[in-house]
Amino acid sequence: MTQASSLFTRLEYRLAQQLFHTRWLPRSPRTQRLTLHLFERCADAGHPAALSLYGHMLFHRGVSPQDKARGARYVLEAAQGGDLKAQYQAGLIFEYGCVQYPRREDRAVTWYARAGEAGHALAATRLGKAYRNGELGLPVDGAQAAHWEALAERHLPLDAVELDSEHIQTRH
């Protein structure tokens, strides 16, 4: 039965994704409620991508403090499950704090480091800046800053290409 419910959850998540990204479908309040309801069901069922995406939406766009706290909880659950984007978001949650999760710079550094080492360029960039400027409770350390900045450069997505009038410059 678990396998069947897992399959159903994956199908619900695919449908929610399609509704979320479809441009030809009218953006009616009913469609939006359905999409959010599907994401919520999938997150409650423990679907890793739904935990990350729906948690992110609730944390950043939730109206009530309870919504924001539930979003943070979903994001942290996804981060603990290894979701790269959620690990970066967990760093942000602990860097800035919220009602349920107070500001904890040590935990922010831990989550940024996990995400940065796993390939998240923004997390590595944040740690590079933190070491360069002595932020997040870290000492000013040029070597560590250079390490994280180099890691960020390696993890930049291929679409981070800057067009110049004369030629194309890529960032490696």
Side-chain angles (χ1 to χ4, degrees):
M1 187 67 174
T2 305
Q3 202 171 28
S5 65
S6 176
L7 175 63
F8 187 72
T9 300
R10 289 194 313 263
L11 289 173
E12 276 188 323
Y13 181 74
R14 289 272 298 167
L15 175 60
Q17 270 189 313
Q18 292 298 318
L19 290 171
F20 188 68
H21 292 292
T22 301
R23 296 198 185 282
W24 57 266
L25 191 66
R27 293 284 182 195
S28 70
R30 184 177 179 192
T31 304
Q32 290 175 352
R33 279 193 309 273
L34 172 63
T35 304
L36 290 176
H37 177 70
L38 289 171
F39 278 132
E40 180 180 22
R41 283 177 48 91
C42 294
D44 287 340
H47 188 281
L51 285 166
S52 179
L53 179 64
Y54 187 62
H56 179 82
M57 285 191 287
L58 279 178
F59 183 71
H60 290 285
R61 299 220 167 112
V63 177
S64 70
Q66 293 83 7
D67 284 343
K68 291 182 179 293
R70 193 170 86 189
R73 191 180 74 244
Y74 283 155
V75 166
L76 292 173
E77 189 176 333
Q80 290 167 347
D83 186 275
L84 195 59
K85 291 177 185 176
Q87 289 176 346
Y88 173 70
Q89 290 298 317
L92 290 172
I93 288 169
F94 283 113
E95 180 175 356
Y96 297 104
C98 69
V99 172
Q100 188 174 1
Y101 300 97
R103 181 181 165 99
R104 291 275 313 264
E105 291 179 336
D106 59 327
R107 288 190 178 174
V109 169
T110 299
W111 283 114
Y112 286 141
R114 284 184 189 175
E117 289 169 354
H120 199 285
L122 291 175
T125 299
R126 179 65 187 110
L127 281 177
K129 181 181 175 205
Y131 274 111
R132 185 142 327 273
N133 300 328
E135 299 169 349
L136 297 176
L138 298 172
V140 174
D141 186 335
Q144 281 291 336
H147 164 75
W148 288 106
E149 290 163 356
L151 196 59
E153 286 290 320
R154 276 200 313 259
H155 293 313
L156 278 176
L158 293 177
D159 62 353
V161 175
E162 296 176 11
L163 292 176
D164 187 46
S165 62
E166 298 292 319
H167 60 285
I168 296 176
Q169 293 178 326
T170 59
R171 300 166 103 189
H172 295 286

